Amino acid sequence: MGNTNSFREKLTDYNLNEDEFFKVLTETKSYIAGSFALSAYLKDNKIDSFDPNDLDIFVEKNESNSKLKDYLVSKGYTIDKHLTESDYGDNKTIVEIFYYIKEDKNIQIIVINVDPVKYIDAFDLNCCKTYYDNASQKIICLDKNIFERKTNFNKDCVKYNSVKRSNKYIKRGFKIFLRDRDITEVCKFCEINKCSQEKFNNFLNK
């Protein structure tokens, strides 16, 4: 677990009152996970960090979802885009995604039909399995290699945008591994050459 000083600072940058926001997260059983939590976790542990592109909130579909959306609107955010499960092909876990924007800040509410922690644990990159735990008020990182700036790719969780996502973290200073095999250059090659998902999978299976 990690402390949350940088995490709280980043929330201020997004014009979110931490006490109000944490209360809404708790009431809606929502979790902030991915790059936003990871960047704060690295910074608080004195590791070179990066600026996240957005803030992702994961919440299981329920009647309280509207509280989360209403809070963002009260802070001046407006909805920029709305995607539904039909936009995600074979991914039947995502119900819908709401994209909110305020000036240069972007927040996504990802509504899913499973427990958020279980969903986070199934991310394609281990470094992204980092989230703010509402109960302990700590950031939890499930990647044991995070301080070595390397992360494992989960072959069983390959998604349509996994090549793009892996390269985003390569540019942030991470090496990508598949078990004990360094596949950083494979990921770079597949992005440069716009490899299909099938071709990327073939590389992973070699």
Side-chain angles (χ1 to χ4, degrees), residues 7-52:
F7 185 80
R8 292 168 185 270
E9 288 174 8
K10 288 179 181 295
L11 289 181
T12 302
D13 291 341
Y14 277 68
N15 192 37
L16 301 173
N17 178 284
E18 59 182 75
D19 292 331
E20 294 175 351
F21 190 46
F22 290 156
K23 182 180 179 182
V24 173
L25 290 178
T26 300
E27 290 176 347
T28 58
K29 298 179 181 179
S30 305
Y31 291 81
I32 295 174
S35 62
F36 188 92
L38 175 61
S39 65
Y41 183 79
L42 292 173
K43 186 174 181 180
D44 281 333
N45 283 280
K46 313 301 181 186
I47 306 294
D48 285 342
S49 189
F50 57 89
D51 290 324

Side-chain angles (χ1 to χ4, degrees), residues 1 14 47 84 105 107 123 140 180 184 202:
M1 293 187 183
Y14 277 68
I47 306 294
T84 63
K105 302 301 181 185
I107 297 178
F123 280 171
I140 295 176
D180 295 326
T184 304
N202 290 337

Side-chain angles (χ1 to χ4, degrees), residues 127-175:
C127 64
C128 292
K129 298 178 182 181
T130 306
Y131 64 94
Y132 177 79
D133 180 61
N134 303 323
S136 66
Q137 298 185 350
K138 298 288 186 181
I139 297 176
I140 295 176
C141 181
L142 301 179
D143 192 341
K144 297 178 180 179
N145 299 312
I146 200 67
F147 296 147
E148 299 175 38
R149 303 293 288 192
K150 66 180 185 180
T151 190
N152 257 275
F153 190 89
N154 302 309
K155 189 179 71 172
D156 295 334
C157 301
V158 173
K159 302 176 183 177
Y160 71 97
N161 63 344
S162 289
V163 172
K164 181 179 179 180
R165 281 171 48 75
S166 59
N167 276 277
K168 180 168 67 173
Y169 283 92
I170 290 170
K171 291 170 184 174
R172 289 171 171 171
F174 286 87
K175 285 190 173 294

